[in-house]
């Protein structure tokens, strides 16, 4: 498992070079923009159960066969496993955002997940759909653009300083995309 700093070390070592130039500039930026990263992680972690349950509910709304006999969210044991998996995936995405590196997500969550799902008959496309909804709602929480129309009764705005969050939100989006591509 690596983070932005250890990634720079590993990559420099593989070339027997010192860390400098571009790598140092990129780490300097990582530190300078660090509060945005922490706010992004907080935006997801503080709304995790809402993000997960909304995504699984949305996935089921679009495909109600999932909760009928023979569906992979039926009976309740499987529904619980699905909600738990949504939480696991979101948690690992938040670790990747915190460390600025996807390796924790890849190594500890995605490695072998497609094979496990295939063996258990967990539908990959439905999982990808739930992940896509989690991505949309997480990015909205990071950018603080979530609306009452989408949030309903549980709508809540985070206390955050206004600023340009485009870099951190597209980085976050890229980790969700990695989940989707690992399952495709
Ligand atoms: C650390 C990382 C980690 C991950 C990611 C993980 C996933 C994981 N999900 C599982 C099951 C499962 N996962 C789902 C998930 C779903 N079913 C659906 O229809 C939806 C599309 C989807 C939710 C979005 C279900 C229903 C099961 C139970 C399947 C069964 O027992 O038949 C299992 C089999 C063991 C178990 O049931 O607990 C694993 C290992 N475990 C881990 O330790």
């Amino acid at each position: 498992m690596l983070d932005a700093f250890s990634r720079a070390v590993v990559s420099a070592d593989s070339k027997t070079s010192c860390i400098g130039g571009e790598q140092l500039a990129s780490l300097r930026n990582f530190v300078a923009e660090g509060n945005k990263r922490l706010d992004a992680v907080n935006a997801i972690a503080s709304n995790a159960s809402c993000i997960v349950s909304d995504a699984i509910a949305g996935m089921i709304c679009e495909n109600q066969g999932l909760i009928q006999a023979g569906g992979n969210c039926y009976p309740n044991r499987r529904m619980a496993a699905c909600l738990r998996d949504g939480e696991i995936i979101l948690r690992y995405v938040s670790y990747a955002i915190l460390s600025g590196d996807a390796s924790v997500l890849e190594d500890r969550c995605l490695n072998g997940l497609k094979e496990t799902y295939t063996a258990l008959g967990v539908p990959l496309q439905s999982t990808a759909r739930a992940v896509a909804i989690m991505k949309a709602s997480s990015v909205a929480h990071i950018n603080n653009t979530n609306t009452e129309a989408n949030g309903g009764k549980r709508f809540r705005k985070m206390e955050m300083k206004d600023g340009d969050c485009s870099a951190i939100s597209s980085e976050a989006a890229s980790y969700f995309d990695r989940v989707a591509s690992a399952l495709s």
Side-chain angles (χ1 to χ4, degrees):
M1 177 200 145
L2 298 174
D3 55 59
F5 292 91
S6 47
R7 174 77 66 191
V9 171
V10 168
S11 138
D13 187 39
S14 72
K15 292 179 263 174
T16 338
S17 66
C18 286
I19 296 176
E22 237 171 73
Q23 275 184 326
L24 222 51
S26 143
L27 289 175
R28 189 171 292 123
N29 182 59
F30 186 87
V31 173
E33 299 284 297
N35 282 335
K36 290 182 187 173
R37 188 172 293 279
L38 297 180
D39 278 347
V41 171
N42 187 33
I44 293 182
S46 306
N47 295 289
S49 71
C50 176
I51 294 170
V52 171
S53 57
D54 177 65
I56 306 296
M59 172 196 77
I60 289 172
C61 246
E62 292 171 0
N63 180 6
Q64 307 208 352
L66 285 166
I67 48 168
Q68 284 151 19
N72 204 263
C73 289
Y74 178 91
N76 284 331
R77 179 186 68 78
R78 287 204 186 87
M79 180 70 198
C82 179
L83 283 162
R84 178 208 60 195
D85 283 12
E87 250 167 54
I88 293 175
I89 290 169
L90 188 62
R91 186 162 56 81
Y92 277 100
V93 165
S94 76
Y95 294 163
I97 299 171
L98 183 67
S99 51
D101 193 279
S103 61
V104 62
L105 171 68
E106 296 279 1
D107 301 348
R108 302 196 185 178
C109 179
L110 301 181
N111 183 14
L113 187 60
K114 182 181 179 182
E115 292 74 13
T116 305
Y117 275 2
T118 306
L120 288 167
V122 174
L124 299 173
Q125 268 199 330
S126 297
T127 310
R129 178 62 186 138
V131 170
I133 301 175
M134 291 204 290
K135 170 182 164 181
S137 97
S138 297
V139 167
H141 280 290
I142 292 171
N143 287 326
N144 226 3
T145 54
N146 53 324
T147 60
E148 200 159 0
N150 279 333
K153 275 200 301 268
R154 291 190 289 183
F155 174 71
R156 171 164 84 124
K157 275 271 185 205
M158 303 286 292
E159 278 295 323
M160 248 191 269
K161 254 178 98 174
D162 280 340
D164 179 3
C165 289
S166 55
I168 190 69
S169 65
S170 63
E171 183 186 325
S174 78
Y175 299 130
F176 287 98
D177 293 341
R178 272 176 184 257
V179 178
S181 68
L183 295 175
S184 70

